[in-house]
Amino acid sequence: MSSSPKSAEKVSDLDGRPPESTDFANYFCTYAYIYHQKDMLEDHKRTGAYYQAVLSNKRQFQGKVVLDVGTGSGILAIFAAKAGAKKVYAVEATNMAKNARQLVEHNKLSHVVEVIQGTIESIELPEKVDIIISEWMGYFLLRESMLDSVLVARDRFLAPGGALYPSHASIYMAPIRSNLAAQRTSEFQNSMEGWAEFLHEMQHYYQVSLDVLSDGYRSEQKDYYLHTSQWTDTHPQQLLGPAAPIIKYDLNKLTLEELKAPLKSEFVMHMTDGGPVDAFCGFFDVLFKGSDENPTDNEIRLTTAPDPTGATHWGQQTFPLHPPIDCAPGDRLRVSVEVTRRADNQRLLHVKAAVSVEGNSIYAEQSKTPREFRWNIE
Amino acid sequence: MSSSPKSAEKVSDLDGRPPESTDFANYFCTYAYIYHQKDMLEDHKRTGAYYQAVLSNKRQFQGKVVLDVGTGSGILAIFAAKAGAKKVYAVEATNMAKNARQLVEHNKLSHVVEVIQGTIESIELPEKVDIIISEWMGYFLLRESMLDSVLVARDRFLAPGGALYPSHASIYMAPIRSNLAAQRTSEFQNSMEGWAEFLHEMQHYYQVSLDVLSDGYRSEQKDYYLHTSQWTDTHPQQLLGPAAPIIKYDLNKLTLEELKAPLKSEFVMHMTDGGPVDAFCGFFDVLFKGSDENPTDNEIRLTTAPDPTGATHWGQQTFPLHPPIDCAPGDRLRVSVEVTRRADNQRLLHVKAAVSVEGNSIYAEQSKTPREFRWNIE
């Protein structure tokens, strides 16, 4: 036998929900590496947006008590302290907390920033906080389900009228041209040809027939090649029409129950160019608006939309369409989408979409019943 | 934030030993994919050796009760049934058990092979068995620590005089020339140059000094680039001298306690060619000799030694030496080696070595105190 832990991609557990220790092993531990913190810190669209959100809104931080959920290296807590916060609680589950503490000391901010190692669900704070800051966004916004912990922090620790940084978040989808779908289809076909050869070898060398596993193998490989979204750095010229918002969250009002429920949305994508549409491109943005009582002076936006200067470390998630959707300029794609957490690992996602073409084209005429698609976000 | 589960390489836990659920998530689950089973099955040096070990020793299997530990796809259980076993218990922890059951039915062997889903530590069998067969070997033989379960199976279920397939296992090391050490050193240096730039950016853009993390980063990157062994397909022409055995196990006699204790060994490698020795190449072999009471008619050997026709799926583990060891033809390298299980994950390994040069060369003369090396096997 020989399996690398690097390829242990998926987690299943008997009751469908991994116990805390498994979650720790599989989720948190990556964040315990400085290497990984560096990857996030040097994404300057990301770090720069948080820097601007805090340092260009010093008035909002002056003399305030701040909580940083998942502080990692401690950078956002340090920004808050530099902006004049009276006290910053910087909470981190992994051993990266030790590095954060060092960094705070080294930057002479120990009198303001207190690093606490633990999960937000398990720690206690001696007071309510005025501001909660956190960089919790995963691929397609929701992967990792870390927003859960921010809402728990809000409900446990945020004073009335307090503000969340960021305060709003939206997910978008856009129709694109992409060679991804064709490429993945061809990789899938190669893989099935390899399987056929393999069956032949096993029969020939060992007189064992493995035909009965073909359906299982096909389904595994289909899931992998055709039903898995992929990180891409999409160029704006690939867009065949403007992106449509799937959902807009006001984080002040969103409840944990709403967040954990399946996300269901219907939206329309307007086709500027004609098809075929090879894929949908999913991305998100977040806004720093403060709260109604304490709005920011400078509203900052962090977007992960396709950008000719290159993607953030989140890139975009590209959802291949097999086969592509034919449509003409001026047509509309009506999409019903459902995003659910994976039963085998609630930090991963499953996306279903039903798509119909509307408009005056021959394609719209032929689109009687919606076509259905599904993808895993790994 | 954004972390891929594919990069969550390491597992740590508070008490140093991950609980069973974590082990299941991180270790067993890879084996639940047909894709991964295919990878192992189509390693024909591996599968062929087991096929020969069983089918060229039919007399030993005729009318016998057999246990297959970690049956995976069920292939070894099927071989045993084809060789004439009366009954085969095929034990598998993952859902691959369902595929194994299908495969057994499809090959019309359900009357002989019974697939049992569970771990060998937790299942019960209605009778003692005459033969235990298992493909338990990990990188460098011991990675994955699956031999533990085979010894548990032996102690729980093997009838007196029963046989283990394989029955013997050895680990070897050889001195080689390799560009791996130089390449990894240069990658490490590049990484540290990147870090220096990163520090500069963080200071310049955000007025935060991250210097205090430099030691931590260097140590992380050193571990990764310089103190981690690597899968290689080593060509025999890279050998600078014959391989020396580190240890030879008689699996009939080895106890679980001996296996779990640190493996300490001293051995000598004879240099046919001169140095510099850039790396040690580690590999293993296993022998199918049966037991003293029931020896095989045909002794089969499965080796993972460097092979001009290409490596098995185990390849070899190459342990880079920084800097290389200078020595002359005719010199000897005396090596004290210690292999321990990692505290943070007992399925991974840590290797320490102390090396001195002996002989008549100037290098031997200069080699006063042994040089020390350490590596993780990931």
Side-chain angles (χ1 to χ4, degrees):
Chain A
M1 296 226 178
S2 186
S3 87
S4 161
K6 297 184 191 183
S7 61
E9 295 168 27
K10 296 180 191 175
V11 178
S12 69
D13 206 55
L14 304 172
D15 62 355
R17 173 125 186 229
E20 204 172 297
S21 55
T22 307
D23 192 39
F24 195 89
N26 284 283
Y27 175 64
F28 282 113
C29 278
T30 321
Y31 291 113
Y33 289 89
I34 300 173
Y35 176 82
H36 188 60
Q37 295 292 332
K38 172 173 177 282
D39 256 7
M40 295 188 291
L41 287 167
E42 72 189 354
D43 175 353
H44 293 300
K45 285 171 185 159
R46 165 197 181 268
T47 307
Y50 275 85
Y51 179 79
Q52 288 301 328
V54 178
L55 274 304
S56 78
N57 289 297
K58 281 191 182 166
R59 204 171 58 77
Q60 282 69 17
F61 282 81
Q62 216 84 45
K64 296 290 174 57
V65 179
V66 177
L67 167 59
D68 179 3
V69 179
T71 199
S73 62
I75 193 77
L76 303 186
I78 287 171
F79 288 170
K82 280 176 179 274
K86 183 173 69 179
K87 177 81 190 180
V88 184
Y89 299 102
V91 178
E92 171 61 30
T94 75
N95 278 335
M96 189 50 57
K98 295 176 178 61
N99 292 309
R101 209 167 280 136
Q102 276 189 300
L103 202 59
V104 166
E105 277 166 26
H106 184 65
N107 285 273
K108 304 197 192 326
L109 293 167
S110 300
H111 58 295
V112 179
V113 180
E114 181 178 337
V115 177
I116 301 170
Q117 185 165 6
T119 62
I120 208 70
E121 291 78 6
S122 65
I123 60 137
E124 296 297 334
L125 295 182
E127 60 186 322
K128 294 277 178 182
V129 304
D130 304 302
I131 293 175
I132 292 177
I133 191 166
S134 180
E135 199 281 82
W136 51 266
M137 297 86 77
Y139 294 146
F140 200 60
L141 191 72
L142 298 176
R143 186 176 168 281
E144 301 184 39
S145 297
M146 185 181 157
L147 179 54
D148 289 14
S149 295
V150 176
L151 298 191
V152 168
R154 179 197 66 187
D155 295 343
R156 292 191 67 195
F157 301 121
L158 191 63
L164 293 165
Y165 281 68
S167 55
H168 295 76
S170 302
I171 308 177
Y172 303 86
M173 258 192 186
I176 60 169
R177 60 171 72 87
S178 161
N179 61 6
L180 185 65
Q183 181 199 319
R184 301 293 274 176
T185 303
S186 133
E187 283 167 355
F188 169 66
Q189 281 159 354
N190 289 344
S191 161
M192 290 314 298
E193 280 167 28
W195 177 258
E197 265 174 59
F198 166 69
L199 289 188
H200 182 75
E201 278 179 10
M202 293 301 292
Q203 182 66 56
H204 185 62
Y205 294 171
Y206 314 118
Q207 302 81 53
V208 177
S209 163
L210 272 80
D211 300 36
V212 72
L213 300 187
S214 294
D215 285 351
Y217 185 76
R218 179 177 294 106
S219 139
E220 238 178 50
Q221 295 291 291
K222 252 194 176 165
D223 274 2
Y224 179 73
Y225 286 114
L226 309 184
H227 297 297
T228 303
S229 64
Q230 194 156 309
W231 191 102
T232 53
D233 182 358
T234 304
H235 194 280
Q237 290 196 334
Q238 293 178 250
L239 294 175
L240 297 168
I246 297 183
I247 194 158
K248 291 179 173 290
Y249 291 121
D250 179 344
L251 302 184
N252 302 288
K253 298 192 178 119
L254 179 66
T255 69
L256 196 55
E257 290 63 38
E258 287 164 350
L259 180 61
K260 286 185 171 179
L263 186 181
K264 290 183 189 186
S265 170
E266 190 173 316
F267 57 94
V268 166
M269 296 193 285
H270 294 272
M271 300 301 302
T272 313
D273 295 357
V277 181
D278 303 305
F280 293 152
C281 173
F283 58 90
F284 66 88
D285 62 19
V286 297
L287 288 175
F288 299 84
K289 303 175 78 156
S291 64
D292 290 346
E293 291 85 342
N294 284 296
T296 49
D297 293 329
N298 295 294
E299 191 180 306
I300 302 296
R301 182 190 201 185
L302 167 55
T303 178
T304 63
D307 182 339
T309 69
T312 66
H313 79 292
W314 287 284
Q316 293 85 36
Q317 282 290 306
T318 293
F319 300 89
L321 299 167
H322 307 275
I325 297 170
D326 284 319
C327 54
D331 279 350
R332 299 177 303 280
L333 300 186
R334 181 170 298 275
V335 184
S336 287
V337 81
E338 187 179 33
V339 184
T340 48
R341 300 179 181 203
R342 290 256 296 272
D344 56 348
N345 181 345
Q346 64 136 6
R347 295 195 181 274
L348 303 183
L349 304 173
H350 187 74
V351 179
K352 281 199 297 191
V355 184
S356 39
V357 183
E358 298 176 351
N360 299 318
S361 76
I362 175 100
Y363 307 113
E365 232 169 84
Q366 290 167 347
S367 173
K368 300 293 181 211
T369 50
R371 279 184 57 200
E372 298 194 344
F373 301 92
R374 65 177 177 83
W375 307 273
N376 287 320
I377 301 181
E378 297 279 341
Chain B
M1 297 227 178
S2 187
S3 87
S4 160
K6 296 183 193 185
S7 61
E9 293 167 27
K10 297 179 191 177
V11 179
S12 69
D13 207 56
L14 305 173
D15 64 354
R17 173 124 186 229
E20 202 172 299
S21 55
T22 308
D23 192 37
F24 196 89
N26 284 284
Y27 174 63
F28 282 113
C29 277
T30 320
Y31 291 112
Y33 289 90
I34 300 173
Y35 176 81
H36 188 60
Q37 296 292 333
K38 172 173 176 282
D39 257 6
M40 296 188 292
L41 288 167
E42 71 189 354
D43 175 352
H44 293 300
K45 285 172 186 159
R46 164 197 181 268
T47 307
Y50 275 86
Y51 179 80
Q52 288 302 328
V54 178
L55 275 304
S56 78
N57 290 296
K58 281 191 183 166
R59 203 172 58 79
Q60 282 68 18
F61 282 80
Q62 215 83 45
K64 296 289 174 61
V65 179
V66 178
L67 166 61
D68 178 3
V69 179
T71 197
S73 63
I75 193 78
L76 302 187
I78 288 171
F79 288 170
K82 280 177 178 274
K86 180 173 71 178
K87 175 82 190 180
V88 184
Y89 298 102
V91 178
E92 171 60 30
T94 75
N95 279 333
M96 189 51 57
K98 295 178 178 59
N99 292 310
R101 208 168 280 136
Q102 277 189 299
L103 202 60
V104 166
E105 278 166 27
H106 184 65
N107 285 274
K108 307 201 189 323
L109 293 167
S110 302
H111 58 295
V112 179
V113 180
E114 181 178 339
V115 177
I116 301 170
Q117 186 165 4
T119 61
I120 206 72
E121 290 78 7
S122 65
I123 60 139
E124 297 296 336
L125 295 182
E127 60 186 322
K128 294 277 178 182
V129 305
D130 304 303
I131 292 176
I132 292 177
I133 190 166
S134 180
E135 198 282 81
W136 52 265
M137 297 85 78
Y139 294 145
F140 200 60
L141 191 71
L142 298 177
R143 186 178 168 280
E144 302 183 39
S145 296
M146 185 181 157
L147 180 54
D148 289 15
S149 295
V150 176
L151 297 192
V152 168
R154 179 198 65 189
D155 296 341
R156 292 192 67 196
F157 302 121
L158 191 63
L164 293 164
Y165 282 67
S167 56
H168 296 76
S170 302
I171 308 177
Y172 303 85
M173 258 192 187
I176 60 169
R177 62 170 72 88
S178 161
N179 61 6
L180 185 66
Q183 182 199 318
R184 301 293 276 177
T185 303
S186 133
E187 284 167 354
F188 168 67
Q189 281 158 354
N190 289 344
S191 162
M192 291 313 298
E193 280 166 29
W195 177 257
E197 267 174 56
F198 167 69
L199 289 187
H200 182 74
E201 278 179 9
M202 292 301 291
Q203 182 67 56
H204 186 61
Y205 295 171
Y206 314 117
Q207 301 80 54
V208 177
S209 163
L210 273 80
D211 300 35
V212 73
L213 300 185
S214 295
D215 285 351
Y217 185 76
R218 178 177 294 106
S219 141
E220 238 179 49
Q221 295 291 291
K222 253 194 175 163
D223 274 2
Y224 179 73
Y225 286 113
L226 309 185
H227 297 296
T228 303
S229 65
Q230 196 157 307
W231 190 101
T232 53
D233 181 359
T234 305
H235 194 281
Q237 289 198 335
Q238 292 178 250
L239 294 175
L240 297 167
I246 297 182
I247 194 157
K248 291 179 174 291
Y249 291 120
D250 178 345
L251 303 184
N252 302 290
K253 299 192 178 122
L254 179 66
T255 69
L256 196 54
E257 292 61 40
E258 288 165 349
L259 180 60
K260 287 184 171 181
L263 185 180
K264 292 182 187 186
S265 170
E266 191 173 317
F267 57 94
V268 166
M269 297 192 285
H270 294 269
M271 299 301 303
T272 312
D273 295 357
V277 181
D278 302 307
F280 293 153
C281 173
F283 59 90
F284 65 88
D285 63 19
V286 297
L287 287 176
F288 299 84
K289 303 175 77 155
S291 64
D292 290 345
E293 291 85 343
N294 284 296
T296 49
D297 292 329
N298 294 294
E299 190 179 308
I300 302 295
R301 181 188 200 185
L302 167 55
T303 176
T304 65
D307 182 339
T309 69
T312 66
H313 79 293
W314 287 284
Q316 294 86 33
Q317 283 289 306
T318 292
F319 301 89
L321 300 167
H322 307 275
I325 298 170
D326 285 319
C327 55
D331 280 349
R332 300 176 303 280
L333 300 186
R334 180 169 299 275
V335 184
S336 287
V337 81
E338 187 179 35
V339 183
T340 48
R341 300 180 180 202
R342 290 256 296 271
D344 57 348
N345 181 344
Q346 65 136 5
R347 294 194 181 276
L348 304 183
L349 304 174
H350 187 75
V351 180
K352 281 198 298 191
V355 184
S356 38
V357 183
E358 298 176 352
N360 300 317
S361 76
I362 175 99
Y363 308 113
E365 232 169 83
Q366 290 167 348
S367 174
K368 299 293 180 211
T369 51
R371 281 183 56 200
E372 298 194 343
F373 301 93
R374 65 177 177 83
W375 306 274
N376 287 319
I377 302 181
E378 297 279 342

